DNA sequence: TATGAATGAGTTTTCATTCAT
DNA sequence: TATGAATGAAAACTCATTCAT
């Protein structure tokens, strides 16, 4: 009620809320047209303000993607770490990781698309985006270790090239963000289930069917 | 499907050779940085000439991608048509399409990457790129028909959502162009074989193994 | 010579005090970075308030310099007029003017720096700053008359170009505001004395002349 | 005559000539209005081209001042080093330094004005201008050493504060660039002579000391 | 064919200023 | 009085494109 209290909480969170709104608008436009092809004015239009006004909230166009991507990656790794810490077997870990990936895609759909399409450009152009390359590397290591373990445990086929399997899954799963529409025919969870089935068992009819 | 540009004489003139060289350089840079983020000067640098000189050969930056993409799509559809015309069963058609996709990726690696990343932007921005959307649609129809036929013939599982299967395969296969390096550890053919195995049978160890 | 802005009541109201505080902050920043290179936000930061709040007190950034400069010039000319009205001989008038100049520099250090550096720009850009050019002209006339009188009276060397002598003194004396720090090794008064010694024994007719 | 030779020499020097022309225009405008208050368009107007065209020759507005100032400082220090290496006595060294200063001012009038007015701002704002502070420091050390030597040799008065004398001379001399017009009533050489007379007969030890 | 200087429209960014609270 | 979000005009800078040589 006191002005003091409003300053300490109310104002801060109002600002954070506004930032989040603006970033959501930016993410949608960046994902749709590509970061480089999107003008700051288009972002501002989408947010319902004028171009210059964005600079009250953000340093630069660059900072906007930065915040969009780091927010997504932080959430993604928190989820992955939860899965890895659960101490499941290889197959169940794989299932959980794919489920987690789709959950994350659902929550950060546009950020995921941006991450897919713009990472190479951003990493090549600005040092500050080096963490994108780090994340990609850690992601690969995590999956290769998992596949290794699954093969050792007899849960996964041993006749496949592990790096290839990793890329196969990664591409199939994450590119889904490009076409997935929340509230469409299938929920993210259902898509995850079907993808899991395909990854694990393939699309061929079983002999016994 | 795509506009044709042929020398009036029909011969592979020195001019056509130079165009091809320049387009190869352009494709590599566009694929690496993204079309919008690439400047004409960067293309020229990669080709070893100055920016203005490109305009002796091409109308515009736009025309360059246009030619890169249409060349690729023409080749891809020629290949697909050969496969479809062979009158194979569903499973063998699927095998042949995936093999053909990888062959095409091998031949037009950069064009494929550009096609993946830039299609939405190009289609949304210039009418002349409408044929990209047409191609995508025809591709989807071809695959859905194939999957339908395979399920009807008892070759493919019937419990999977067909559009989802299509996207799964499409994404896994074509995104490979983003990381595939000609002359790397595995040939395109080997990658195709392994991908086919995964798509058909999954990565899970079979019970009898 | 310069516009006046006085409280209607003629009292030193709280409002006037606040204005003076803000102008002091503004003067320091303008002097340090230059008027054009200083943003209103920087002024506000220096004053401990937010940018928009300055506009409760002042019409514009322009009005701030205006008030800073006119306050300084009013004081300077009041001092000079006192000296000129005292009816001293040329040499003593020169001594008193230089002493007065240093006193003024001490009292309006930042304003003096701004006046030095920004006058040409302000005069060229806004009509309202025309009085700066007037002041400069009157200053020159005052000094040339003084030098003339001193030469006529046999107090100053006659072999020097008078306009040049004027500039020499003006530049040496007033640019001191750029480096003079109140409370530093030497007081303004001491600096004035030394400067006077240097100036005088240069332009003063030698005993043997 | 051969195209090769024209490339090796002609083109390179043509480019350098153009740069110099553009920098001359820029220096005049920067000196007149102040660096921060000058727009790139104003520089371009003065050069007779469009704003964007400047960027074919220079990276940024910043780079333009950088080149203007470093060219001036290089020339100035080359001149000062010649004087210092001549091994003259203190008084003759002082004479030569002042003459050299005026020569330099004549050759780089606008650069000198920019150096005077913009150094603090440039140094405070961009690291790359740190060399301006270095130059200023070296200048001060050179003069203090000279004054010290002159006092020790009995050529200069010992009752004056050396740092103050340095500043007095520096300000009087260099600020002259602000009003000196080449081809005006007096040549730079004549101004130098008169300034020297004023300075010298002030700080010179009197015969009766 | 290629060069390189220039164009000019458009982009990102800045910033004095306004205004509802 | 002060805040802080926004405005909008102008600034710095970019870059596809042109064109005389």
């Amino acid at each position: 009620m006191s002005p003091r209290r409003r300053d300490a909480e109310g104002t801060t969170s109002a600002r954070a809320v506004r930032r989040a709104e603006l970033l959501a608008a930016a993410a949608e436009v960046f994902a749709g047209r590509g970061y480089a092809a999107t003008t700051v004015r288009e972002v501002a239009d989408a947010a319902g303000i004028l171009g210059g006004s964005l600079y009250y909230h953000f340093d630069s166009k660059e900072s906007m993607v930065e915040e969009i991507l780091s927010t997504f990656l932080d959430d993604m790794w928190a989820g992955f770490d939860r899965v890895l810490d659960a101490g499941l077997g290889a197959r169940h870990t794989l299932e959980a990781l794919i489920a987690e990936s789709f959950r994350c895609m659902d929550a950060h759909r546009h950020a995921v698309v941006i991450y897919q399409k713009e990472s190479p450009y951003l990493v090549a152009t600005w040092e500050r985006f080096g963490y994108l390359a780090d994340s990609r590397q850690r992601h690969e290591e995590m999956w290769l270790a998992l596949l290794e373990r699954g093969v050792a445990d007899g849960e996964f086929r041993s006749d496949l090239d592990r790096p290839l399997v990793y890329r196969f899954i990664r591409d199939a799963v994450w590119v889904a963000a490009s076409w997935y529409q929340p509230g469409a025919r299938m929920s993210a969870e259902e898509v995850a289930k079907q993808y899991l089935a395909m990854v694990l068992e393939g699309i061929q009819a079983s002999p016994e069917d």
Side-chain angles (χ1 to χ4, degrees), chain A residues 98 101-106 108-110 112-114 116 168-182 184 186-188 190-192 195 198:
Chain A
I98 289 187
S101 299
F102 274 96
R103 183 199 63 75
C104 211
M105 226 182 287
D106 202 30
H108 308 273
R109 187 161 58 102
H110 300 312
V112 171
V113 174
I114 297 167
Q116 304 292 324
F168 176 84
I169 296 175
R170 179 195 66 188
D171 293 347
V173 168
W174 288 99
V175 175
S178 298
W179 50 260
Y180 174 70
Q181 307 271 6
M186 306 183 79
S187 71
E190 286 167 326
V191 176
Y195 264 51
M198 286 187 272

Side-chain angles (χ1 to χ4, degrees), chain A residues 135-168:
Chain A
S135 173
R136 182 165 290 256
Q137 165 123 26
R138 200 186 146 202
H139 191 254
E140 177 162 4
E141 285 161 2
M142 175 186 79
W143 271 93
L144 289 180
L146 171 64
L147 294 172
E148 213 62 61
R149 180 153 65 99
V151 167
D153 295 354
E155 296 192 298
F156 302 146
R157 291 168 60 174
S158 61
D159 63 328
L160 296 170
D161 181 73
R162 252 77 88 201
L164 213 62
V165 173
Y166 160 63
R167 284 179 181 132
F168 176 84

Side-chain angles (χ1 to χ4, degrees), chain A residues 20-139:
Chain A
E21 282 171 13
L22 297 174
L23 287 177
E28 178 160 6
V29 192
F30 287 155
R33 290 183 64 79
Y35 172 74
T38 300
T39 70
V40 168
R41 236 206 90 180
E42 285 166 337
V43 172
D45 282 353
I49 59 178
L50 291 182
S53 306
L54 280 175
Y55 289 83
Y56 178 76
H57 300 276
F58 304 98
D59 277 354
S60 61
K61 187 183 166 188
E62 206 183 315
S63 297
M64 292 182 223
V65 227
E66 218 277 340
E67 193 160 339
I68 290 167
L69 292 178
S70 61
T71 301
F72 148 60
L73 284 180
D74 287 351
D75 187 37
M76 180 184 86
W77 282 108
F80 285 168
D81 286 340
R82 267 196 307 278
V83 170
L84 296 176
D85 290 348
L88 306 169
R91 222 204 59 162
H92 286 109
T93 299
L94 181 143
E95 287 179 13
L97 283 180
I98 289 187
E100 180 61 27
S101 299
F102 274 96
R103 183 199 63 75
C104 211
M105 226 182 287
D106 202 30
H108 308 273
R109 187 161 58 102
H110 300 312
V112 171
V113 174
I114 297 167
Y115 180 72
Q116 304 292 324
K117 288 208 290 199
E118 313 291 354
S119 281
Y121 164 66
L122 295 172
V123 170
T125 309
W126 293 288
E127 280 192 21
R128 75 191 289 194
F129 287 101
Y131 71 94
L132 296 179
D134 297 343
S135 173
R136 182 165 290 256
Q137 165 123 26
R138 200 186 146 202
H139 191 254

